[in-house]
Amino acid sequence: LLLFAIHRVLLSVVGVVLFLAGLIPRTEDPLLRPYFGLVPVTEGLSGALLGVWLRFDAVHFIRIAQSGYSDPDLAPFYPLYPLLIRLFAWPSGENLLLAAIVASNLACLLSVVGFASWMRDEGYDAATTRRALLLFLWFPTAFFLFAPYSESTFVLFAILGLWAARRGRWAAAGLAGALAALTRLGGLALSLVVAFEWLRRRGSLPRAQSLAAAGAALAPLAAAAGLALWRSSVGLPNLIEVQEIYWRRVPAWPWSGIGSTIGRILARIALPVEFLDLIMVILMLALGVVILRWLPHSLGAYHWGLLLLGLAQMRIGQPLSGQARFALVLIPAYLALALTVHGSVKWRLVAYSFLILNVFLAGQFMLWGWVG
């Protein structure tokens, strides 16, 4: 709780300082700072504490919470987080931005508590758990957990799903997987976790086997139902078409974005954020090997399933765009890294580098700089 509170205050201080220094842009620009019809919050305390978070995807989530899937470009955004915004809107006086921030921060807080409890159940000592939590909260793009984004909601359901599956609680794992899949498509990875944990217990009773099969099926069923129901009801086009037309993302082999980004770096045309995306992808690939060697196979299935799903698309002109943010939800990676950098010097080097990047990138985000 203290770790969460300190980082929450730190990010608020960054926003207030930038706001008081007059560095926060206060006018809309259709290309650089699009609000898509939403009213920017740029004045007073609300501007300093809330308005600095109304950026990029946060705008789209609030658009959905306000008017539903009213435009084709909103098709890639899954519905559970906008529904949570609507849920919190009533006690916040219909302030959708405040509701979105409250929903994200509450999910982040519960994720931290759940992460610590799960690590304790897995048998890790307090020092390892604390290192993993700090790496999670200080990860370079972890400020998105506090922003009006769906990351913290997804992470909460992912942790609950991992925890339940590891304990053989198939119904709870399936429900968590379904909720994660209604938050982001990556929730499908929790079906792999259930399947691997069932294989580990395949000598169990037939009833348990049936529950495990049902639990593994819930996430893909929820994702399919979400895709079918809300898109057909509002007449949104094919998701692949939307991704290419509106978001310039196309399907790709997992290695294509890596190769293209390296090529752009060698040609000296890469943007600074592309270096960050490439480094984070390489780090997660390396940690994926560590996970396969040291951690349960089900955690490896989750890590590699999500990582490869994220790499199976490429953005035209900026191949690995967003990968540094997508890496944030790879929960087992923080445990693997905590086990790897247990020495004092290595730990401080990694942890403080993460924290410095976290604060810097949060500031860039508030200034409308694209960082994921």
Side-chain angles (χ1 to χ4, degrees):
L1 294 177
L2 183 61
L3 292 176
F4 168 85
I6 289 173
H7 203 60
R8 172 64 270 181
V9 170
L10 176 61
L11 292 175
S12 294
V13 168
V14 172
V16 169
V17 169
L18 292 174
F19 184 85
L20 294 178
L23 298 176
I24 300 293
R26 301 197 179 193
T27 57
E28 180 177 11
D29 184 294
L31 293 177
L32 300 177
R33 297 183 295 277
Y35 285 96
F36 294 91
L38 297 184
V39 179
V41 182
T42 59
E43 301 298 330
L45 191 60
S46 294
L49 294 178
L50 303 179
V52 295
W53 294 104
L54 188 58
R55 306 287 184 261
F56 304 109
D57 286 1
V59 173
H60 304 308
F61 283 120
I62 292 177
R63 288 170 63 200
I64 297 170
Q66 178 175 280
S67 306
Y69 289 87
S70 54
D71 294 297
D73 64 312
L74 298 173
F77 298 93
Y78 281 65
L80 187 54
Y81 179 60
L83 285 173
L84 289 176
I85 295 175
R86 288 302 320 168
L87 179 65
F88 284 93
W90 178 73
S92 67
E94 293 300 314
N95 185 330
L96 293 179
L97 177 57
L98 175 59
I101 291 174
V102 169
S104 291
N105 281 258
L106 180 58
C108 179
L109 174 59
L110 294 175
S111 297
V112 171
V113 174
F115 198 165
S117 301
W118 175 43
M119 291 296 94
R120 182 184 60 206
D121 264 17
E122 292 283 342
Y124 293 102
D125 59 32
T128 302
T129 299
R130 189 161 50 249
R131 286 199 303 272
L133 282 174
L134 278 172
L135 291 169
F136 172 54
L137 285 173
W138 291 1
F139 189 74
T141 55
F143 64 89
F144 281 110
L145 297 169
F146 300 86
Y149 272 58
S150 63
E151 264 68 17
S152 56
T153 304
F154 179 86
V155 165
L156 173 60
F157 295 133
I159 289 173
L160 294 176
L162 292 171
W163 191 0
R166 289 283 295 152
R167 300 179 74 181
R169 297 186 174 179
W170 310 123
L175 177 60
L179 293 172
L182 288 172
T183 306
R184 291 175 60 164
L185 185 61
L188 296 175
L190 288 169
S191 292
L192 297 176
V193 177
V194 174
F196 271 81
E197 286 299 320
W198 171 77
L199 287 173
R200 189 166 68 91
R201 298 174 172 84
R202 56 183 176 272
S204 58
L205 297 175
R207 181 175 179 274
Q209 294 176 358
S210 300
L211 285 173
L218 274 177
L221 285 175
L227 285 168
L229 291 177
W230 92 78
R231 288 197 169 88
S232 63
S233 65
V234 295
L236 292 178
N238 179 276
L239 184 58
I240 295 178
E241 295 177 5
V242 172
Q243 288 278 28
E244 182 174 0
I245 295 171
Y246 292 94
W247 303 104
R248 298 174 58 80
R249 290 187 179 275
V250 295
W253 294 108
W255 55 84
S256 299
I258 298 172
S260 298
T261 300
I262 293 174
R264 287 173 58 82
I265 290 173
L266 293 177
R268 298 182 180 180
I269 58 174
L271 301 171
V273 71
E274 294 185 67
F275 288 85
L276 173 70
D277 287 321
L278 180 62
I279 291 170
M280 290 299 107
V281 167
I282 293 173
L283 174 63
M284 290 302 154
L285 289 171
L287 288 174
V289 175
V290 175
I291 291 169
L292 291 178
R293 292 184 60 188
W294 291 356
L295 299 183
H297 294 316
S298 56
L299 300 188
Y302 172 86
H303 178 92
W304 281 101
L306 264 183
L307 180 58
L308 293 176
L309 181 64
L311 290 172
Q313 60 172 333
M314 187 170 64
R315 187 180 181 193
I316 300 170
Q318 192 178 328
L320 291 179
S321 177
Q323 293 299 331
R325 174 166 61 90
F326 301 157
L328 174 60
V329 302
L330 301 176
I331 309 300
Y334 307 111
L335 175 56
L337 191 54
L339 294 171
T340 304
V341 296
H342 52 78
S344 176
V345 175
K346 289 188 295 184
W347 158 248
R348 290 177 181 175
L349 178 62
V350 172
Y352 294 146
S353 297
F354 274 18
L355 179 59
I356 291 169
L357 272 173
N358 184 305
V359 173
F360 173 75
L361 294 175
Q364 288 296 308
F365 175 82
M366 295 173 187
L367 295 173
W368 277 99
W370 174 256
V371 293

